[in-house]
């Protein structure tokens, strides 16, 4: 059974600081997704990582995938308050099954 | 595209009543997913369909829950009878199959269900 673990689950950081959220998964997969959820809102796709070594960047967020280590990271650079949200990683089960296994999410709070 | 559409957005009902949640996926998407999100249990996959056929319903909590997808543009999730512990936000998501096998899911706005 594929398991996806995120850490930390809660992250409080100050504006201007850097930090990394980690996503570990238990079985082989080469497709990983990051989503953002604002309070009371739906999940919004941030990044799609489709191969080992894939790196995507959008603004102050950068995501990477190491399929050999079964690890993805979401790096936050010079955090701002607008980045406060819950971030989920999700791993493709593989084959033609089509479903994703989601981590529990990391609740990020950026304080001035 | 309008994105995934869900209705109603909010539902308040009394224990024992039947509740029907509706979802219209993005046109052309092959997969449709129903999720439930609570503070205690997080995001749970309830059931998903591929080309209108249920593939995995192992996440459906019990027989009170049922889901149908009569055609490519409509799905329902029904709870009968509803109980207070069913209170949650229910999300519908759809995904296409892209080159390389990517299954990026697009989520609807959710239905906030409160059972009193």
């Amino acid at each position: 059974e594929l398991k996806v673990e995120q850490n930390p689950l809660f992250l409080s950081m100050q504006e201007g600081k850097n930090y990394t959220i980690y996503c570990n998964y238990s079985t082989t997969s080469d497709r990983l997704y990051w989503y953002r959820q604002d309070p009371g809102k739906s999940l919004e796709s941030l990044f799609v990582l489709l191969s080992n070594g894939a790196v995507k960047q959008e603004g102050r967020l950068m995501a990477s995938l190491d399929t050999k280590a079964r690890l993805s990271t979401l790096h936050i650079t010079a955090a701002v308050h607008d980045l406060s949200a819950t971030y989920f990683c999700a791993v493709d089960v593989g084959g033609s099954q089509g479903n994703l296994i989601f981590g529990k999410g990391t609740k990020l709070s950026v304080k001035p | 595209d309008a994105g995934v559409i869900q209705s109603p957005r909010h539902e308040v009902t009394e224990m024992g009543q039947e509740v029907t949640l509706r979802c219209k996926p993005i046109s052309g998407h092959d997969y449709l997913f129903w999720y439930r999100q609570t503070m205690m249990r997080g995001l749970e996959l309830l059931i998903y369909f591929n080309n209108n056929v249920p593939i995995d319903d192992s996440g459906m909590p019990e027989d009170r829950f049922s889901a149908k997808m009569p055609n490519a543009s409509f799905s329902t999730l029904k709870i009968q009878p509803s109980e207070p512990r069913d209170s949650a936000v229910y999300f519908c998501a759809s995904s296409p199959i892209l080159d390389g096998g990517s299954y990026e899911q697009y989520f609807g706005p959710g239905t906030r269900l409160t059972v009193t």
Side-chain angles (χ1 to χ4, degrees):
Chain A
E1 179 187 349
L2 176 58
K3 294 186 178 179
V4 180
E5 294 186 354
Q6 286 183 238
N7 70 82
L9 297 182
F10 298 93
L11 177 55
S12 180
M13 54 190 299
Q14 287 193 313
E15 282 190 329
K17 298 293 186 182
N18 304 333
Y19 209 85
T20 300
I21 298 170
Y22 297 89
C23 175
N24 291 89
Y25 53 98
S26 60
T27 62
T28 302
S29 177
D30 56 3
R31 294 190 288 263
L32 189 137
Y33 308 79
W34 285 95
Y35 288 83
R36 168 179 172 149
Q37 185 178 33
D38 291 302
K41 303 293 186 182
S42 186
L43 280 77
E44 172 191 359
S45 180
L46 286 176
F47 299 110
V48 178
L49 304 170
L50 298 179
S51 62
N52 185 39
V55 178
K56 296 274 184 80
Q57 183 163 4
E58 180 73 33
R60 301 174 187 272
L61 300 177
M62 184 174 71
S64 65
L65 177 61
D66 182 343
T67 60
K68 294 180 181 177
R70 299 177 186 170
L71 171 68
S72 179
T73 61
L74 180 66
H75 187 71
I76 304 155
T77 301
V80 293
H81 179 70
D82 285 352
L83 291 179
S84 298
T86 299
Y87 294 86
F88 293 90
C89 65
V91 178
D92 194 324
V93 172
S96 59
Q97 295 182 58
N99 61 318
L100 304 180
I101 306 299
F102 281 79
K104 293 186 181 299
T106 296
K107 186 172 183 178
L108 172 64
S109 177
V110 181
K111 302 184 184 303
Chain B
D1 200 321
V4 176
I5 299 172
Q6 291 187 246
S7 65
R9 295 291 305 276
H10 301 272
E11 177 81 31
V12 180
T13 190
E14 292 184 347
M15 177 177 172
Q17 296 298 306
E18 177 179 299
V19 175
T20 299
L21 311 181
R22 297 172 176 80
C23 175
K24 176 179 170 55
I26 294 172
S27 177
H29 281 194
D30 303 282
Y31 287 86
L32 184 139
F33 305 82
W34 282 101
Y35 291 90
R36 177 172 70 176
Q37 187 176 41
T38 61
M39 289 292 291
M40 291 295 294
R41 301 175 69 92
L43 190 67
E44 302 174 276
L45 175 65
L46 300 177
I47 185 171
Y48 76 99
F49 297 82
N50 179 16
N51 292 324
N52 313 339
V53 176
I55 302 301
D56 185 352
D57 65 355
S58 59
M60 296 286 260
E62 45 198 277
D63 292 346
R64 298 185 296 107
F65 286 68
S66 62
K68 294 182 180 179
M69 192 166 185
N71 57 62
S73 60
F74 183 66
S75 177
T76 59
L77 178 68
K78 186 176 293 187
I79 309 172
Q80 166 65 18
S82 58
E83 297 183 1
R85 59 190 168 128
D86 301 331
S87 297
V89 179
Y90 291 80
F91 289 105
C92 175
S94 68
S95 73
I97 301 176
L98 301 178
D99 290 344
S102 170
Y103 297 102
E104 182 181 8
Q105 294 183 15
Y106 297 78
F107 281 75
T111 295
R112 183 173 296 275
L113 173 65
T114 303
V115 183
T116 61

